[in-house]
Amino acid sequence: MELDNFATWLEIDLGVLESNYRILHKTTGTPVMSVVKANAYGHGLEEVTKTVEKAGAQWCGVARIEEALLLRNAGIRMNILVLGYTPPQRVQEAVQNKISLTVYDPLMVQAYAQQAALTSQVLDVQVKVDTGMGRLGIPSEKALEFIHQVKDQQEFHFQGIFTHFACADEPEKPYTEQQLEKFNKILRQMYTQGMRPELIHSANSAAALNFPPARFDIVRCGLALYGLSPSSETHLPEGIKPALSWKTRLISIKQLPGGHGVSYGFKYFTKKTEKIGVIAAGYGDGLRRQIGNTVLLRGKRVPVVGNVCMDQCVIQIDHIPDAQVGDEIVLIGKQGKEEITATEIAKKWNTISYEVICGMAARMPRDYTH
Ligand SMILES: *Cc1c(COP(=O)(O)O)cnc(C)c1O
């Protein structure tokens, strides 16, 4: 890919991604379900999934059936679990494409079974239990009865059972232990009644790293696979690195006299004659419209000034005398000795790194390196 062709773009190092996958596999001692929902957290669904498949991954997890079908159409053969809701009307597609679905509601089971009956194969289903997160899942107290309903459904293959933690990124809080206890109780009851599906799982990245007893048969890693830590209390294993960089170029330089307004709404006025640059990235690409953003130019941090626009924003470059139009600008990633991480940006934006990388717009070209 000729990068001079683009105003702004993402660079995704698939070698780093593959290495992150292997490190997670090794340090947890558990197979890794690569979570590739939301366009692989902005990194590119197909390329990321192909990379982990080549590295030996047996499972990937998505949020929607549309994502699963994109993967099948791209030739991905490994197991795919839709972690979220699937409309019953799409169950036949799931069966035909060998996509596993999540079930958590008795009425949903009936609707799915009716649809699956219209095909000649069984539907692979995994039961999601709410052990305390208060979001999706059959409540723990009703789980065993529900599992029987699922298991007795001849249109289904009861393939797995899982739960999800609310606070695994805060290892000092007792909630994860409590959720784990509830999950284990259900598992013991299942075993007593002779039921043991192939796949028992509970851990997201944070739990996989902070709570070894939550690892079970497979860990579901998203964020850590992309090289980011779910929280400051969660320590990534040695060698895990961010796979994504975001770059643009300096597209204009000029001197503005003192007292000159900059960008929409004049949220910034020059204090004296100032050297002002324009870069080709804006909120249409995923840069939040917020005062206080920073980018890298010639290995130095430079401030974004004035409001971020849809396709551009303005930087103050008085302290970069050798800046030239065409210079590479880094919004996320390394330049010289400096680095801006999605985690740093998330702090500034009062959000989490997940939202920063999921916000990388589809319109940006993605350049894959190894
Ligand atoms: C998104 C998701 C994950 C991955 O979470 P990370 O914190 O990114 O590792 C795991 N499990 C479920 C059910 C999810 O929805």
PDB file of all heavy atoms in Angstrom, residues 73-99:
ATOM      1  N   ASN A  73     -17.839 -15.607   4.710  1.00  0.00           N
ATOM      2  CA  ASN A  73     -17.692 -15.246   3.295  1.00  0.00           C
ATOM      3  C   ASN A  73     -16.243 -14.953   2.935  1.00  0.00           C
ATOM      4  O   ASN A  73     -15.853 -15.033   1.778  1.00  0.00           O
ATOM      5  CB  ASN A  73     -18.582 -14.041   2.952  1.00  0.00           C
ATOM      6  CG  ASN A  73     -20.053 -14.431   2.984  1.00  0.00           C
ATOM      7  OD1 ASN A  73     -20.402 -15.600   2.793  1.00  0.00           O
ATOM      8  ND2 ASN A  73     -20.927 -13.474   3.263  1.00  0.00           N
ATOM      9  N   ALA A  74     -15.443 -14.607   3.958  1.00  0.00           N
ATOM     10  CA  ALA A  74     -14.019 -14.351   3.714  1.00  0.00           C
ATOM     11  C   ALA A  74     -13.211 -15.650   3.808  1.00  0.00           C
ATOM     12  O   ALA A  74     -11.985 -15.618   3.720  1.00  0.00           O
ATOM     13  CB  ALA A  74     -13.496 -13.337   4.712  1.00  0.00           C
ATOM     14  N   GLY A  75     -13.892 -16.756   4.022  1.00  0.00           N
ATOM     15  CA  GLY A  75     -13.203 -18.046   4.020  1.00  0.00           C
ATOM     16  C   GLY A  75     -12.712 -18.515   5.380  1.00  0.00           C
ATOM     17  O   GLY A  75     -11.951 -19.480   5.466  1.00  0.00           O
ATOM     18  N   ILE A  76     -13.119 -17.843   6.446  1.00  0.00           N
ATOM     19  CA  ILE A  76     -12.719 -18.266   7.792  1.00  0.00           C
ATOM     20  C   ILE A  76     -13.441 -19.575   8.143  1.00  0.00           C
ATOM     21  O   ILE A  76     -14.668 -19.668   8.043  1.00  0.00           O
ATOM     22  CB  ILE A  76     -13.066 -17.162   8.827  1.00  0.00           C
ATOM     23  CG1 ILE A  76     -12.257 -15.899   8.568  1.00  0.00           C
ATOM     24  CG2 ILE A  76     -12.893 -17.664  10.262  1.00  0.00           C
ATOM     25  CD1 ILE A  76     -10.780 -16.009   8.862  1.00  0.00           C
ATOM     26  N   ARG A  77     -12.651 -20.571   8.559  1.00  0.00           N
ATOM     27  CA  ARG A  77     -13.222 -21.894   8.825  1.00  0.00           C
ATOM     28  C   ARG A  77     -13.401 -22.190  10.313  1.00  0.00           C
ATOM     29  O   ARG A  77     -14.089 -23.129  10.688  1.00  0.00           O
ATOM     30  CB  ARG A  77     -12.283 -22.985   8.260  1.00  0.00           C
ATOM     31  CG  ARG A  77     -11.863 -22.786   6.813  1.00  0.00           C
ATOM     32  CD  ARG A  77     -12.861 -23.351   5.834  1.00  0.00           C
ATOM     33  NE  ARG A  77     -13.217 -24.737   6.106  1.00  0.00           N
ATOM     34  CZ  ARG A  77     -12.666 -25.785   5.513  1.00  0.00           C
ATOM     35  NH1 ARG A  77     -11.702 -25.597   4.642  1.00  0.00           N
ATOM     36  NH2 ARG A  77     -13.082 -27.007   5.794  1.00  0.00           N
ATOM     37  N   MET A  78     -12.718 -21.428  11.162  1.00  0.00           N
ATOM     38  CA  MET A  78     -12.732 -21.776  12.587  1.00  0.00           C
ATOM     39  C   MET A  78     -14.105 -21.540  13.208  1.00  0.00           C
ATOM     40  O   MET A  78     -14.998 -20.959  12.602  1.00  0.00           O
ATOM     41  CB  MET A  78     -11.660 -20.990  13.341  1.00  0.00           C
ATOM     42  CG  MET A  78     -11.980 -19.534  13.546  1.00  0.00           C
ATOM     43  SD  MET A  78     -10.799 -18.818  14.705  1.00  0.00           S
ATOM     44  CE  MET A  78     -10.159 -17.507  13.757  1.00  0.00           C
ATOM     45  N   ASN A  79     -14.272 -22.023  14.437  1.00  0.00           N
ATOM     46  CA  ASN A  79     -15.541 -21.855  15.135  1.00  0.00           C
ATOM     47  C   ASN A  79     -15.811 -20.378  15.402  1.00  0.00           C
ATOM     48  O   ASN A  79     -14.901 -19.635  15.763  1.00  0.00           O
ATOM     49  CB  ASN A  79     -15.486 -22.578  16.485  1.00  0.00           C
ATOM     50  CG  ASN A  79     -15.268 -24.068  16.305  1.00  0.00           C
ATOM     51  OD1 ASN A  79     -16.078 -24.749  15.693  1.00  0.00           O
ATOM     52  ND2 ASN A  79     -14.164 -24.562  16.829  1.00  0.00           N
ATOM     53  N   ILE A  80     -17.067 -19.996  15.239  1.00  0.00           N
ATOM     54  CA  ILE A  80     -17.455 -18.606  15.512  1.00  0.00           C
ATOM     55  C   ILE A  80     -18.641 -18.611  16.484  1.00  0.00           C
ATOM     56  O   ILE A  80     -19.640 -19.302  16.252  1.00  0.00           O
ATOM     57  CB  ILE A  80     -17.891 -17.869  14.223  1.00  0.00           C
ATOM     58  CG1 ILE A  80     -16.804 -17.937  13.142  1.00  0.00           C
ATOM     59  CG2 ILE A  80     -18.251 -16.420  14.527  1.00  0.00           C
ATOM     60  CD1 ILE A  80     -17.215 -17.327  11.800  1.00  0.00           C
ATOM     61  N   LEU A  81     -18.508 -17.854  17.548  1.00  0.00           N
ATOM     62  CA  LEU A  81     -19.617 -17.686  18.496  1.00  0.00           C
ATOM     63  C   LEU A  81     -20.132 -16.258  18.420  1.00  0.00           C
ATOM     64  O   LEU A  81     -19.349 -15.306  18.553  1.00  0.00           O
ATOM     65  CB  LEU A  81     -19.146 -17.997  19.927  1.00  0.00           C
ATOM     66  CG  LEU A  81     -20.139 -17.690  21.056  1.00  0.00           C
ATOM     67  CD1 LEU A  81     -21.428 -18.504  20.927  1.00  0.00           C
ATOM     68  CD2 LEU A  81     -19.489 -17.948  22.433  1.00  0.00           C
ATOM     69  N   VAL A  82     -21.445 -16.122  18.212  1.00  0.00           N
ATOM     70  CA  VAL A  82     -22.079 -14.803  18.321  1.00  0.00           C
ATOM     71  C   VAL A  82     -22.396 -14.590  19.797  1.00  0.00           C
ATOM     72  O   VAL A  82     -23.229 -15.285  20.368  1.00  0.00           O
ATOM     73  CB  VAL A  82     -23.362 -14.713  17.469  1.00  0.00           C
ATOM     74  CG1 VAL A  82     -24.011 -13.340  17.632  1.00  0.00           C
ATOM     75  CG2 VAL A  82     -23.067 -14.987  16.000  1.00  0.00           C
ATOM     76  N   LEU A  83     -21.707 -13.641  20.414  1.00  0.00           N
ATOM     77  CA  LEU A  83     -21.822 -13.443  21.862  1.00  0.00           C
ATOM     78  C   LEU A  83     -23.095 -12.690  22.240  1.00  0.00           C
ATOM     79  O   LEU A  83     -23.545 -12.752  23.375  1.00  0.00           O
ATOM     80  CB  LEU A  83     -20.614 -12.642  22.372  1.00  0.00           C
ATOM     81  CG  LEU A  83     -19.248 -13.308  22.192  1.00  0.00           C
ATOM     82  CD1 LEU A  83     -18.135 -12.276  22.215  1.00  0.00           C
ATOM     83  CD2 LEU A  83     -19.026 -14.348  23.267  1.00  0.00           C
ATOM     84  N   GLY A  84     -23.663 -11.958  21.292  1.00  0.00           N
ATOM     85  CA  GLY A  84     -24.823 -11.119  21.583  1.00  0.00           C
ATOM     86  C   GLY A  84     -26.113 -11.709  21.027  1.00  0.00           C
ATOM     87  O   GLY A  84     -26.217 -12.914  20.805  1.00  0.00           O
ATOM     88  N   TYR A  85     -27.076 -10.840  20.790  1.00  0.00           N
ATOM     89  CA  TYR A  85     -28.414 -11.241  20.338  1.00  0.00           C
ATOM     90  C   TYR A  85     -28.443 -11.530  18.840  1.00  0.00           C
ATOM     91  O   TYR A  85     -27.876 -10.789  18.044  1.00  0.00           O
ATOM     92  CB  TYR A  85     -29.399 -10.109  20.651  1.00  0.00           C
ATOM     93  CG  TYR A  85     -30.753 -10.290  20.024  1.00  0.00           C
ATOM     94  CD1 TYR A  85     -31.642 -11.240  20.524  1.00  0.00           C
ATOM     95  CD2 TYR A  85     -31.140  -9.524  18.920  1.00  0.00           C
ATOM     96  CE1 TYR A  85     -32.893 -11.413  19.938  1.00  0.00           C
ATOM     97  CE2 TYR A  85     -32.393  -9.686  18.327  1.00  0.00           C
ATOM     98  CZ  TYR A  85     -33.262 -10.632  18.843  1.00  0.00           C
ATOM     99  OH  TYR A  85     -34.482 -10.809  18.261  1.00  0.00           O
ATOM    100  N   THR A  86     -29.141 -12.586  18.486  1.00  0.00           N
ATOM    101  CA  THR A  86     -29.391 -12.883  17.072  1.00  0.00           C
ATOM    102  C   THR A  86     -30.901 -12.958  16.861  1.00  0.00           C
ATOM    103  O   THR A  86     -31.592 -13.706  17.568  1.00  0.00           O
ATOM    104  CB  THR A  86     -28.765 -14.232  16.663  1.00  0.00           C
ATOM    105  OG1 THR A  86     -27.365 -14.211  16.986  1.00  0.00           O
ATOM    106  CG2 THR A  86     -28.936 -14.499  15.182  1.00  0.00           C
ATOM    107  N   PRO A  87     -31.454 -12.219  15.914  1.00  0.00           N
ATOM    108  CA  PRO A  87     -32.892 -12.325  15.642  1.00  0.00           C
ATOM    109  C   PRO A  87     -33.239 -13.747  15.178  1.00  0.00           C
ATOM    110  O   PRO A  87     -32.486 -14.327  14.384  1.00  0.00           O
ATOM    111  CB  PRO A  87     -33.122 -11.322  14.506  1.00  0.00           C
ATOM    112  CG  PRO A  87     -31.947 -10.400  14.555  1.00  0.00           C
ATOM    113  CD  PRO A  87     -30.804 -11.220  15.064  1.00  0.00           C
ATOM    114  N   PRO A  88     -34.354 -14.318  15.649  1.00  0.00           N
ATOM    115  CA  PRO A  88     -34.719 -15.694  15.265  1.00  0.00           C
ATOM    116  C   PRO A  88     -34.761 -15.892  13.752  1.00  0.00           C
ATOM    117  O   PRO A  88     -34.405 -16.961  13.257  1.00  0.00           O
ATOM    118  CB  PRO A  88     -36.114 -15.866  15.874  1.00  0.00           C
ATOM    119  CG  PRO A  88     -36.167 -14.897  17.012  1.00  0.00           C
ATOM    120  CD  PRO A  88     -35.300 -13.738  16.635  1.00  0.00           C
ATOM    121  N   GLN A  89     -35.163 -14.855  13.019  1.00  0.00           N
ATOM    122  CA  GLN A  89     -35.231 -14.949  11.549  1.00  0.00           C
ATOM    123  C   GLN A  89     -33.888 -15.319  10.923  1.00  0.00           C
ATOM    124  O   GLN A  89     -33.835 -15.706   9.765  1.00  0.00           O
ATOM    125  CB  GLN A  89     -35.688 -13.611  10.929  1.00  0.00           C
ATOM    126  CG  GLN A  89     -37.138 -13.252  11.141  1.00  0.00           C
ATOM    127  CD  GLN A  89     -37.383 -12.579  12.492  1.00  0.00           C
ATOM    128  OE1 GLN A  89     -36.564 -12.680  13.408  1.00  0.00           O
ATOM    129  NE2 GLN A  89     -38.526 -11.921  12.631  1.00  0.00           N
ATOM    130  N   ARG A  90     -32.809 -15.190  11.672  1.00  0.00           N
ATOM    131  CA  ARG A  90     -31.493 -15.443  11.087  1.00  0.00           C
ATOM    132  C   ARG A  90     -30.889 -16.765  11.530  1.00  0.00           C
ATOM    133  O   ARG A  90     -29.737 -17.076  11.206  1.00  0.00           O
ATOM    134  CB  ARG A  90     -30.549 -14.297  11.416  1.00  0.00           C
ATOM    135  CG  ARG A  90     -31.230 -12.976  11.112  1.00  0.00           C
ATOM    136  CD  ARG A  90     -30.362 -11.937  10.593  1.00  0.00           C
ATOM    137  NE  ARG A  90     -29.569 -12.270   9.436  1.00  0.00           N
ATOM    138  CZ  ARG A  90     -28.703 -11.430   8.908  1.00  0.00           C
ATOM    139  NH1 ARG A  90     -28.563 -10.226   9.432  1.00  0.00           N
ATOM    140  NH2 ARG A  90     -27.995 -11.767   7.866  1.00  0.00           N
ATOM    141  N   VAL A  91     -31.693 -17.551  12.243  1.00  0.00           N
ATOM    142  CA  VAL A  91     -31.184 -18.818  12.767  1.00  0.00           C
ATOM    143  C   VAL A  91     -30.797 -19.786  11.647  1.00  0.00           C
ATOM    144  O   VAL A  91     -29.783 -20.482  11.727  1.00  0.00           O
ATOM    145  CB  VAL A  91     -32.219 -19.449  13.726  1.00  0.00           C
ATOM    146  CG1 VAL A  91     -31.955 -20.924  13.930  1.00  0.00           C
ATOM    147  CG2 VAL A  91     -32.192 -18.712  15.064  1.00  0.00           C
ATOM    148  N   GLN A  92     -31.600 -19.807  10.566  1.00  0.00           N
ATOM    149  CA  GLN A  92     -31.271 -20.743   9.484  1.00  0.00           C
ATOM    150  C   GLN A  92     -29.911 -20.414   8.862  1.00  0.00           C
ATOM    151  O   GLN A  92     -29.146 -21.317   8.528  1.00  0.00           O
ATOM    152  CB  GLN A  92     -32.364 -20.718   8.415  1.00  0.00           C
ATOM    153  CG  GLN A  92     -33.684 -21.284   8.935  1.00  0.00           C
ATOM    154  CD  GLN A  92     -34.739 -21.348   7.846  1.00  0.00           C
ATOM    155  OE1 GLN A  92     -34.549 -22.024   6.837  1.00  0.00           O
ATOM    156  NE2 GLN A  92     -35.837 -20.644   8.054  1.00  0.00           N
ATOM    157  N   GLU A  93     -29.638 -19.124   8.720  1.00  0.00           N
ATOM    158  CA  GLU A  93     -28.312 -18.720   8.212  1.00  0.00           C
ATOM    159  C   GLU A  93     -27.200 -19.184   9.144  1.00  0.00           C
ATOM    160  O   GLU A  93     -26.122 -19.584   8.699  1.00  0.00           O
ATOM    161  CB  GLU A  93     -28.220 -17.197   8.103  1.00  0.00           C
ATOM    162  CG  GLU A  93     -28.844 -16.604   6.880  1.00  0.00           C
ATOM    163  CD  GLU A  93     -28.883 -15.086   6.994  1.00  0.00           C
ATOM    164  OE1 GLU A  93     -29.816 -14.557   7.646  1.00  0.00           O
ATOM    165  OE2 GLU A  93     -27.972 -14.440   6.448  1.00  0.00           O
ATOM    166  N   ALA A  94     -27.481 -19.096  10.441  1.00  0.00           N
ATOM    167  CA  ALA A  94     -26.483 -19.541  11.421  1.00  0.00           C
ATOM    168  C   ALA A  94     -26.213 -21.033  11.246  1.00  0.00           C
ATOM    169  O   ALA A  94     -25.057 -21.469  11.207  1.00  0.00           O
ATOM    170  CB  ALA A  94     -26.958 -19.241  12.834  1.00  0.00           C
ATOM    171  N   VAL A  95     -27.278 -21.814  11.108  1.00  0.00           N
ATOM    172  CA  VAL A  95     -27.123 -23.264  10.934  1.00  0.00           C
ATOM    173  C   VAL A  95     -26.342 -23.559   9.654  1.00  0.00           C
ATOM    174  O   VAL A  95     -25.356 -24.302   9.670  1.00  0.00           O
ATOM    175  CB  VAL A  95     -28.502 -23.966  10.883  1.00  0.00           C
ATOM    176  CG1 VAL A  95     -28.338 -25.438  10.530  1.00  0.00           C
ATOM    177  CG2 VAL A  95     -29.239 -23.800  12.205  1.00  0.00           C
ATOM    178  N   GLN A  96     -26.773 -22.928   8.564  1.00  0.00           N
ATOM    179  CA  GLN A  96     -26.144 -23.209   7.267  1.00  0.00           C
ATOM    180  C   GLN A  96     -24.660 -22.838   7.248  1.00  0.00           C
ATOM    181  O   GLN A  96     -23.869 -23.450   6.539  1.00  0.00           O
ATOM    182  CB  GLN A  96     -26.878 -22.447   6.157  1.00  0.00           C
ATOM    183  CG  GLN A  96     -28.193 -23.117   5.775  1.00  0.00           C
ATOM    184  CD  GLN A  96     -29.263 -22.101   5.364  1.00  0.00           C
ATOM    185  OE1 GLN A  96     -28.968 -20.928   5.142  1.00  0.00           O
ATOM    186  NE2 GLN A  96     -30.513 -22.569   5.260  1.00  0.00           N
ATOM    187  N   ASN A  97     -24.306 -21.831   8.039  1.00  0.00           N
ATOM    188  CA  ASN A  97     -22.912 -21.372   8.041  1.00  0.00           C
ATOM    189  C   ASN A  97     -22.120 -21.858   9.237  1.00  0.00           C
ATOM    190  O   ASN A  97     -21.007 -21.383   9.477  1.00  0.00           O
ATOM    191  CB  ASN A  97     -22.873 -19.847   7.962  1.00  0.00           C
ATOM    192  CG  ASN A  97     -23.299 -19.342   6.594  1.00  0.00           C
ATOM    193  OD1 ASN A  97     -22.507 -19.351   5.657  1.00  0.00           O
ATOM    194  ND2 ASN A  97     -24.545 -18.951   6.474  1.00  0.00           N
ATOM    195  N   LYS A  98     -22.732 -22.788   9.996  1.00  0.00           N
ATOM    196  CA  LYS A  98     -22.051 -23.361  11.161  1.00  0.00           C
ATOM    197  C   LYS A  98     -21.554 -22.272  12.108  1.00  0.00           C
ATOM    198  O   LYS A  98     -20.370 -22.207  12.475  1.00  0.00           O
ATOM    199  CB  LYS A  98     -20.888 -24.251  10.669  1.00  0.00           C
ATOM    200  CG  LYS A  98     -20.310 -25.177  11.728  1.00  0.00           C
ATOM    201  CD  LYS A  98     -21.019 -26.515  11.752  1.00  0.00           C
ATOM    202  CE  LYS A  98     -20.460 -27.401  12.870  1.00  0.00           C
ATOM    203  NZ  LYS A  98     -21.391 -27.693  13.954  1.00  0.00           N
ATOM    204  N   ILE A  99     -22.488 -21.415  12.499  1.00  0.00           N
ATOM    205  CA  ILE A  99     -22.197 -20.328  13.435  1.00  0.00           C
ATOM    206  C   ILE A  99     -22.913 -20.644  14.748  1.00  0.00           C
ATOM    207  O   ILE A  99     -24.101 -20.981  14.746  1.00  0.00           O
ATOM    208  CB  ILE A  99     -22.684 -18.980  12.862  1.00  0.00           C
ATOM    209  CG1 ILE A  99     -21.863 -18.609  11.621  1.00  0.00           C
ATOM    210  CG2 ILE A  99     -22.628 -17.873  13.911  1.00  0.00           C
ATOM    211  CD1 ILE A  99     -22.484 -17.546  10.754  1.00  0.00           C
TER     212      ILE A  99
END
